[in-house]
Amino acid sequence: MDLLEYQGKQLFARHGVPVPDGRHAASVDEAVAAADEIGYPCVVKAQVQIGGRGKAGGIKVAKDRDEAREYAEAILGMDIRGLTVHELWIEAASEIDSEYYASVVFDRSAKAPLLMLSTKGGMDIEEVADEDPDAIARLHVDPLLGFQDFHGRRLAFEARVDADVVRPVGAMLAKLYEVFVSEEATLVEVNPLIVTPAAAGDGAGRAVKALDAKVTLDDNSLYRHPDNSELRDLSKEDPQERMAKERGLTYVKLDGDIGILANGAGLSMSTLDVVAEAGGRPANFLDAGGGSRAEAITSAVEVILSDDRVKAVLFNIFGGITRGDEVATGLIEAFKQINPSVPFVVRLDGTNGEEGRGLLAQADLPNVHIESTMDGAAQKVVELAKQAEGAPA
């Protein structure tokens, strides 16, 4: 689950990560009121889940109330790389001496969190990696050991940060790692991580702040974080994937026109492969689970057919703990409730597969084709999908 900048900063604040003072706004009047409360100069920032906001004109510094209103009116409703701005973050302007980059990401190949630090902040980290990979210091953290003080010092020295902010940067990295672990994130990124000038007269040295926040939470863990669950913006989620999640189904939307249902992740992936090899384009990955019962099958059919691009559907079920008669009963019930207009190809094998095929034959469902092999089922569903779109089979 990707968070907007202001949501990430609110999460940071829970863990003591220094961030500039800011207010959320969803209208021009709210933005002006927030700017008045924070004081001028302030920054009007578009809230969209994509980079490049500044280059697109989505971040403006307002020197007074009139500019705050002008910029809020201009940015709300703006299109930034295909995303419409509906929310703003009004933030106190910051003085900046230096811009760094810092992140914690889960490295699946290493099976450990990866910390990265660079003094080349404020630009796309992909560009830095391409142009000067040595400018990015990297360190894997043992999940059992956790982040230690020496990790921060090592990264700071390797990234060649200014000597007077080695300790503040290390402390910042420790807090970002705390956010990563405590909130069960897969990505915590700050770009830029700014170094502020020393305050005149009070003897304090330079400090570091998170001027931006990019956070991705593991949505499989949200049941342990009810506060974070409330940050989910359902209106921005794909409707089919949201429907599947609500029904406890594992579903990923793809760009084809053949609906897929199988039981078990391995068989589901294999089904996608054989359909592609037969010349078809899968519309989804849907794993109904290893013990698919009738109600789960009915829900799965509803999810698949809610995608109006689907021209044919392939059921590929191999019974182990899944019973073929249960799957057949679910499909029969789904046809009673939905009355689908697209053809179905069904391959049932394994536990009670013969009984399931018998139930389907007895029900005599319209436009349902029974196949005995996975390859045969894939070829048949591709043929039916091409016929539906008027192309030669």
Side-chain angles (χ1 to χ4, degrees):
M1 182 176 77
D2 295 325
L3 302 187
L4 294 167
E5 175 197 358
Y6 81 91
Q7 294 171 326
K9 285 182 174 175
Q10 289 172 348
L11 212 61
F12 284 180
R14 289 186 202 169
H15 297 272
V17 176
V19 294
D21 187 23
R23 305 285 186 278
H24 174 261
S27 69
V28 173
D29 289 340
E30 288 181 7
V32 173
D36 288 342
E37 185 176 352
I38 290 172
Y40 299 95
C42 66
V43 187
V44 182
K45 308 179 81 172
Q47 295 300 287
V48 287
Q49 293 172 344
I50 200 164
R53 292 175 298 163
K55 295 177 183 177
I59 299 177
K60 297 288 187 181
V61 178
K63 297 189 292 291
D64 53 41
R65 197 171 198 267
D66 290 339
E67 285 194 350
R69 180 174 294 278
E70 175 189 345
Y71 295 147
E73 290 174 345
I75 294 174
L76 277 172
M78 175 185 289
D79 181 279
I80 298 180
R81 296 170 63 185
L83 297 178
T84 303
V85 180
H86 298 292
E87 300 173 82
L88 300 173
W89 182 241
I90 313 301
E91 185 173 83
S94 299
E95 295 185 61
I96 301 173
D97 263 3
S98 302
E99 294 185 352
Y100 296 162
Y101 169 93
S103 68
V104 189
V105 63
F106 183 67
D107 185 343
R108 298 182 185 277
S109 61
K111 301 179 182 178
L114 171 65
L115 275 78
M116 292 187 283
L117 179 66
S118 175
T119 55
K120 293 190 175 183
M123 60 185 292
D124 293 337
I125 196 62
E126 294 81 7
E127 294 180 17
V128 178
D130 289 340
E131 297 172 4
D132 187 7
D134 293 337
I136 305 173
R138 299 173 173 86
L139 175 71
H140 286 98
V141 174
D142 185 324
L144 297 179
L145 177 64
F147 186 89
Q148 304 295 316
D149 288 344
F150 73 86
H151 289 141
R153 291 193 295 271
R154 174 180 163 181
L155 280 166
F157 283 123
E158 288 185 1
R160 298 186 295 278
V161 307
D162 295 337
D164 64 315
V165 291
V166 167
R167 288 187 180 278
V169 167
M172 172 68 82
L173 292 173
K175 291 182 184 299
L176 293 178
Y177 185 83
E178 179 185 325
V179 173
F180 181 85
V181 173
S182 299
E183 305 295 342
E184 299 192 71
T186 58
L187 170 68
V188 172
E189 180 180 271
V190 180
N191 188 23
L193 174 68
I194 62 168
V195 179
T196 63
D202 64 3
R206 297 194 299 168
V208 295
K209 285 185 180 180
L211 199 60
D212 195 11
K214 183 176 181 180
V215 177
T216 301
L217 300 177
D218 182 356
D219 54 6
N220 292 311
S221 71
L222 289 179
Y223 70 95
R224 289 191 288 264
H225 303 274
D227 291 346
N228 293 345
S229 297
E230 296 174 1
L231 301 175
R232 181 185 295 277
D233 187 349
L234 297 179
S235 68
K236 292 184 174 65
E237 294 187 2
D238 179 84
Q240 278 83 39
E241 293 188 355
R242 184 171 70 247
M243 182 190 301
K245 188 172 297 183
E246 291 170 351
R247 300 179 184 205
L249 300 169
T250 303
Y251 174 93
V252 178
K253 189 171 182 176
L254 304 174
D255 58 2
D257 57 5
I258 296 175
I260 303 293
L261 182 143
N263 61 314
L267 184 59
S268 299
M269 293 296 293
S270 298
T271 305
L272 298 183
D273 289 341
V274 296
V275 167
E277 287 179 2
R281 295 180 303 119
N284 64 272
F285 167 100
L286 198 158
D287 171 13
S292 305
R293 300 185 65 82
E295 57 269 25
I297 297 300
T298 302
S299 293
V301 172
E302 292 176 341
V303 170
I304 291 171
L305 294 182
S306 66
D307 183 352
D308 56 13
R309 299 174 306 168
V310 170
K311 295 183 173 63
V313 178
L314 171 58
F315 266 49
N316 187 19
I317 303 296
F318 184 85
I321 59 175
T322 301
R323 289 170 42 189
D325 55 339
E326 279 278 1
V327 174
T329 301
L331 185 57
I332 293 167
E333 184 62 32
F335 266 62
K336 289 179 182 178
Q337 296 180 17
I338 304 171
N339 190 25
S341 59
V342 302
F344 277 63
V345 177
V346 180
R347 178 249 184 174
L348 277 178
D349 203 357
T351 304
N352 288 5
E354 185 175 348
E355 291 85 342
R357 293 191 295 273
L359 287 173
L360 291 175
Q362 184 179 353
D364 193 24
L365 299 176
N367 217 1
V368 172
H369 307 263
I370 309 299
E371 292 288 336
S372 59
T373 67
M374 187 159 68
D375 286 338
Q379 292 167 6
K380 183 64 175 179
V381 78
V382 170
E383 175 186 335
L384 292 170
K386 288 182 178 180
Q387 290 175 356
E389 67 182 12

